[in-house]
């Protein structure tokens, strides 16, 4: 049986990890290098590194802090933020990333997914979708959740997979940082629409939220969270023990 993955997320701004609520009110947390080192040692299955203001500021992802972070990590590392060209993929992979996450760049040019998948393989291309409910519809947002694209989310995610995205990270803006549980309705709609791995992001507040996620939606491959791990509210070791007790397969710590 395929084990469920637990993935901490480093939202990086100006070289520091930050965290907010509903993609707003960002507060300083820690150094990405130190946090990466910690998570790599304490049982995380993968790590995500997002340069969260790169797209909104129209710049390329900062590579110096990424290289330093990647040197501390001995688990798969996904990197995103300001990825607009295949050359950006190349640059980030050379810095130590295992997978590259695209969002705003793919919205501007969907063929970016196709060309990157062709060059590096589907498994390297992660489509990150920032989704919010607008007038009863799941809507795609760009530029770190700041801009409503008007695009219907499920159709866009389906298109991304058809172009070669090998994994989906579904970020629910509605539940982000609220700690009231994952957005099960939104996740169910995405799992029903695609056959590639789906990572749940946004809303985790306690261990029980992960248990509910994987029991309710066995198609979800991984749970991603930030603040509950950063602030020590949930220890990955304890989380995995609880999942195992609930017959949810996980990699041993």
């Amino acid at each position: 049986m395929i084990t469920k993955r637990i993935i901490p997320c480093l939202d990086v701004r100006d070289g520091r990890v930050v965290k907010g609520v509903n993609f707003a009110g960002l507060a300083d947390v820690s150094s990405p290098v130190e946090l990466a080192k910690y998570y790599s040692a304490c049982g995380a299955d993968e790590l995500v590194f997002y340069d969260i203001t790169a797209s909104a500021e129209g710049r390329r992802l900062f590579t110096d802090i990424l290289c330093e972070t990647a040197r501390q990590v001995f688990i798969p590392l996904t990197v995103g933020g300001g990825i607009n060209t295949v050359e950006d993929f190349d640059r980030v992979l050379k810095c130590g990333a295992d997978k590259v996450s695209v969002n705003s760049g793919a919205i501007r040019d969907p063929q970016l997914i196709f060309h990157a998948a062709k060059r590096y393989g589907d498994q390297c291309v992660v489509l990150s979708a920032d989704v919010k409910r607008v007038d009863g519809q799941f809507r795609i947002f760009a530029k770190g959740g700041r801009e409503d694209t008007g695009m219907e989310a499920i159709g866009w995610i389906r298109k991304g997979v058809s172009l070669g995205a090998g994994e989906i990270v579904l970020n629910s803006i509605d539940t982000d940082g609220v700690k009231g549980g994952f957005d099960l309705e939104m996740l169910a709609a995405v799992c029903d629409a695609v056959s590639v791995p789906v990572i749940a992001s946004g809303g985790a507040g306690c261990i029980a939220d992960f248990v509910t996620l994987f029991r309710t939606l066995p198609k979800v491959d991984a749970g991603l969270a930030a603040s509950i791990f950063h602030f020590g509210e949930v220890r990955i070791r304890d989380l995995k023990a609880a999942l195992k007790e609930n017959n949810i397969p996980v990699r041993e710590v």
Side-chain angles (χ1 to χ4, degrees), residues 157-204:
I157 291 168
R158 201 181 274 124
K159 178 178 180 179
V161 171
S162 73
L163 287 168
E167 192 166 75
I168 303 297
V169 175
L170 180 68
N171 309 301
S172 171
I173 298 175
D174 294 323
T175 60
D176 177 72
V178 177
K179 299 183 182 179
F182 290 98
D183 198 325
L184 301 179
E185 180 194 21
M186 192 183 287
L187 284 159
V190 173
C191 287
D192 287 344
V194 298
S195 56
V196 299
V198 174
I199 297 171
S201 172

Side-chain angles (χ1 to χ4, degrees), residues 221-240:
D221 287 78
L224 181 150
S227 57
I228 61 166
F229 295 142
H230 299 341
F231 298 121
E233 296 164 47
V234 171
R235 291 174 66 240
I236 291 174
R237 186 180 298 276
D238 296 338
L239 170 55
K240 286 194 167 184

Side-chain angles (χ1 to χ4, degrees), residues 132-152:
K132 183 180 172 71
R133 290 167 178 79
V134 179
D135 299 328
Q137 183 186 61
F138 294 137
R139 197 80 61 80
I140 288 286
F141 277 65
K143 297 183 179 176
R146 296 169 180 83
E147 182 182 286
D148 184 354
T149 66
M151 292 165 55
E152 188 275 320

Side-chain angles (χ1 to χ4, degrees), residues 1-4 210-212 214-216 218 239-251:
M1 191 177 289
I2 296 173
T3 57
K4 301 302 183 183
F210 286 87
V211 174
T212 300
F214 293 128
R215 290 178 90 172
T216 307
L239 170 55
K240 286 194 167 184
L243 291 172
K244 200 171 177 185
E245 283 171 16
N246 283 273
N247 298 313
I248 297 165
V250 290
R251 182 177 67 88

Side-chain angles (χ1 to χ4, degrees), residues 45-142:
D45 297 299
E46 297 187 15
L47 192 63
V48 170
F49 178 112
Y50 286 140
D51 185 335
I52 60 171
T53 56
S55 291
E57 293 170 3
R59 61 170 171 79
R60 299 198 306 178
L61 182 142
F62 290 131
T63 53
D64 51 352
I65 194 76
L66 170 59
C67 289
E68 205 177 335
T69 302
R71 280 194 288 271
Q72 304 297 330
V73 175
F74 301 99
I75 52 178
L77 175 64
T78 298
V79 176
I83 306 296
N84 296 299
T85 65
V86 173
E87 289 67 35
D88 289 331
F89 268 77
D90 190 62
R91 195 165 49 90
V92 168
L93 290 168
K94 283 175 178 171
C95 287
D98 298 284
K99 295 184 275 190
V100 182
S101 176
V102 290
N103 190 328
S104 297
I107 291 168
R108 277 190 297 275
D109 178 16
Q111 288 303 308
L112 172 62
I113 298 171
F114 174 78
H115 293 301
K118 196 171 180 183
R119 182 177 294 188
Y120 301 109
D122 293 10
Q123 81 290 338
C124 182
V125 183
V126 179
L127 178 61
S128 178
D130 295 335
V131 183
K132 183 180 172 71
R133 290 167 178 79
V134 179
D135 299 328
Q137 183 186 61
F138 294 137
R139 197 80 61 80
I140 288 286
F141 277 65

